[in-house]
Amino acid sequence: MTARPVNPGRAGGSQPRAGGSQPRAGGSRPQAGGSRPRAGGSRPQTGGGRPRAGGGSPSAAPRPFRRTSGVRPPSGGRTPGGGRGLLTRLKRAWDRPLTAYYLILGGSLLLTVLGLVMVYSASQIKALQSGLAPSFFFRKQLLAAVLGGGLLLFAARMPVRVHRTLAYPLLAVSVFLMCLVQIPGIGVAVNGNQNWINLGGPFQMQPSEFAKLALVLWGADLLARKQDKRLLVQWKHLLVPLIPVAFLMLGLIMLGGDMGTAIILTAIVFGLLWLAGAPTRLFVGVLGTATVIGAVLIKTSANRMARLACIGATDPGPGDQCWQAVHGIYALASGGFFGSGLGASMEKWGELPEPHTDFIFAITGEELGLAGTLSVLALFAALGYAGIRVAGRTEDPFVRYAAGGVTTWITAQAVINIGAVLGLLPIAGVPLPLFSYGGSALLPAMFAIGLLIAFARDEPAARAALAALATRKPVFGRKPAGVRWKTMRRRVKKRPSGER
């Protein structure tokens, strides 16, 4: 066998070795692109990749990587401009440790600011009809928003152990105030429901709104203590004293006739039981009992039966009993895609009752159109997702129960309010959280949002990211050493062996 000549096509031309080139073992063929033969009969390289060590002319410079058929980039994915690369970057951004923190803070602030704008727009005619200044309701709501912002910051900076300490005093004060509501001369009836206390002048307080926050904190602390003692495996510890205390609060609320708030408290109880891992038969039993009690209360009240009959109504009906439900649909239908313009609503001119409280979503649809209503729904969906994410990733039982309870409260109340405006549910008389007029509803809701922010900041990965931002260190999704996070999973530490 004779030696094959080196390919003269390489840059600069390769010169034969002194004494003549000797064939390599195995009789290898020349590589593509003119590189020298390698031992062992190796396969030729494709596309002119980087020359291997010891091959080719010394004057040949390394060539840059060129993508060819069947060869992937070093990242193992598509090019940065591809669709899969964009989805990967979005997923990484969504999985960052501060995502829940930003969603809760940004979503709640946007809802509050947009609510202030819509309260001002929807309440001007109502104020003028009552002989008040056009900005009367707006100024009261703005004052409540400022106070609520202070409560939000206070709750967000408060350690978790302090939240647990406040649970029992807040529960006792709420029950005491709900008892005062039933005393003649102290309690005030509004729209047929006696669940208000007059604070003097134009200011009133609804203790049942603060009872929602008290039930969340107290129930979360109770279940967390029992879980630490491994008592939640027994059904009696799941129900006692959570259910008796909840029935006491529900009874005090129903004495005033406010069934809408009672439904929200019931949803909070079921959310806590679900998070505690209540058996299906126990959960179904409690749900069945609550359904029977609710059916009896609705059946024995002509007003509640009339509200139930207005579901899906398109005509006011006899005696205009469905007037509010029908005109809510009219407001949404006349808004179109982009609405009639801010302040240009026609239904708020005396046609739609409670345009700035229970039916502010209808005025939003009329003035801001489908785009405005979908934006409000997206903000509530973001809050709900962030709350579930905080509850799902924590290792602290109290944080899990409290975050789940707050998320159940906000989302259930939003669904009941919006469902009533859309004609899908009976009118329950509950405000839209963070959006409708009412300081008694806004203050505890913003404190609850502060709870979620505190819980989102308390995660180890979030604390590390916030510390890096405070020192102006670019993190951009970088994970702290030894910590792994997923969107809907709890934080776990990597073990040296790779096992969990």
Side-chain angles (χ1 to χ4, degrees), residues 221-238:
D221 180 72
L222 175 70
L223 294 176
R225 292 177 186 273
K226 290 192 173 187
Q227 180 172 333
D228 292 339
K229 298 179 181 179
R230 303 181 184 275
L231 297 177
L232 293 182
V233 294
Q234 305 177 27
W235 66 269
K236 61 181 180 180
H237 286 288
L238 275 171

Side-chain angles (χ1 to χ4, degrees), residues 95-99 389 393 455-469 475 477-486 491-493:
D95 286 340
R96 292 177 181 176
L98 293 179
T99 298
R389 172 171 169 161
R393 292 175 57 182
F455 298 155
R457 290 167 53 96
D458 195 55
E459 296 180 6
R463 285 201 305 265
L466 287 172
L469 288 176
V475 287
R478 187 187 306 167
K479 302 179 182 179
V483 176
R484 178 189 306 168
W485 60 75
K486 292 294 183 181
R491 179 186 60 83
V492 293
K493 292 186 177 180

Side-chain angles (χ1 to χ4, degrees), residues 207-442:
S208 57
E209 293 291 338
F210 294 90
K212 302 172 185 176
L213 178 62
L215 181 60
V216 168
L217 287 178
W218 176 78
D221 180 72
L222 175 70
L223 294 176
R225 292 177 186 273
K226 290 192 173 187
Q227 180 172 333
D228 292 339
K229 298 179 181 179
R230 303 181 184 275
L231 297 177
L232 293 182
V233 294
Q234 305 177 27
W235 66 269
K236 61 181 180 180
H237 286 288
L238 275 171
L239 301 181
V240 180
L242 178 63
I243 300 302
V245 172
F247 271 116
L248 172 63
M249 302 174 72
L250 291 173
L252 292 173
I253 292 173
M254 289 305 301
L255 284 176
D258 188 3
M259 191 170 183
T261 304
I263 294 176
I264 304 301
L265 258 70
T266 305
I268 293 174
V269 172
F270 283 123
L272 292 175
L273 289 177
W274 182 272
L275 290 169
T280 304
R281 61 182 182 277
L282 180 63
F283 194 84
V284 172
V286 177
L287 180 61
T289 304
T291 303
V292 171
I293 295 176
V296 171
L297 292 174
I298 293 175
K299 190 70 176 179
T300 55
S301 174
N303 183 31
R304 296 180 188 128
M305 286 297 297
R307 293 186 180 188
L308 191 64
C310 291
I311 297 178
T314 57
D315 186 83
D320 292 335
Q321 65 178 4
C322 298
W323 180 273
Q324 188 175 14
V326 171
H327 278 269
I329 298 297
Y330 290 169
L332 290 172
S334 60
F337 285 99
F338 300 105
S340 57
L342 192 62
S345 169
M346 299 300 295
E347 290 294 331
K348 67 182 179 183
W349 287 79
E351 296 294 331
L352 180 64
E354 307 298 334
H356 59 302
T357 55
D358 299 347
F359 272 69
I360 193 172
F361 188 76
I363 302 299
T364 303
E366 185 179 6
E367 295 187 351
L368 303 183
L370 182 63
T373 55
L374 289 181
S375 299
V376 174
L377 291 176
L379 290 175
F380 277 112
L383 276 181
Y385 167 81
I388 295 174
R389 172 171 169 161
V390 171
R393 292 175 57 182
T394 183
E395 297 289 344
D396 190 340
F398 172 78
V399 174
R400 180 164 61 253
Y401 296 136
V406 170
T407 305
T408 303
W409 162 17
I410 299 297
T411 53
Q413 187 164 328
V415 167
I416 291 174
N417 178 275
I418 296 174
V421 174
L422 295 176
L424 304 176
L425 296 173
I427 300 175
V430 296
L432 190 60
L434 304 172
F435 203 84
S436 296
Y437 169 79
S440 294
L442 184 61

Side-chain angles (χ1 to χ4, degrees), residues 166-176 178 211 214-215 218-219 245 249:
L166 291 177
Y168 285 84
L170 184 59
L171 177 69
V173 171
S174 299
V175 172
F176 175 72
M178 285 191 292
L215 181 60
W218 176 78
V245 172
M249 302 174 72

Side-chain angles (χ1 to χ4, degrees), residues 4-187:
R4 297 183 180 182
V6 180
N7 191 343
R10 295 183 58 87
S14 59
Q15 299 295 330
R17 296 184 179 180
S21 61
Q22 298 295 329
R24 299 284 184 99
S28 60
R29 295 179 299 172
Q31 297 179 348
S35 61
R36 297 181 61 182
R38 298 183 59 198
S42 59
R43 291 161 48 184
Q45 295 180 341
T46 58
R50 180 184 294 273
R52 301 295 182 92
S57 170
S59 62
R63 299 183 181 180
F65 181 85
R66 295 180 182 177
R67 185 176 179 183
T68 56
S69 177
V71 180
R72 293 189 175 183
S75 60
R78 294 188 179 182
T79 58
R84 184 175 297 178
L86 177 61
L87 292 177
T88 301
R89 290 196 299 271
L90 290 176
K91 185 177 183 301
R92 288 179 179 176
W94 193 254
D95 286 340
R96 292 177 181 176
L98 293 179
T99 298
Y101 171 76
Y102 289 136
L103 285 178
I104 296 170
L105 181 61
S108 60
L109 291 181
L110 286 175
L111 281 172
T112 304
V113 172
L114 183 57
L116 286 172
V117 174
M118 293 310 304
V119 165
Y120 180 67
S121 176
S123 64
Q124 295 182 59
I125 307 303
K126 183 74 173 178
L128 291 173
Q129 290 174 345
S130 304
L132 303 171
S135 60
F136 174 77
F137 295 106
F138 169 74
R139 284 186 278 114
K140 289 182 63 178
Q141 186 72 358
L142 180 61
L143 177 61
V146 172
L147 295 177
L151 289 177
L152 185 148
L153 293 176
F154 178 71
R157 294 292 181 177
M158 191 185 301
V160 175
R161 65 178 183 276
V162 180
H163 288 299
R164 301 187 67 168
T165 305
L166 291 177
Y168 285 84
L170 184 59
L171 177 69
V173 171
S174 299
V175 172
F176 175 72
L177 292 177
M178 285 191 292
C179 292
L180 288 181
V181 169
Q182 307 306 322
I183 299 177
I186 299 179

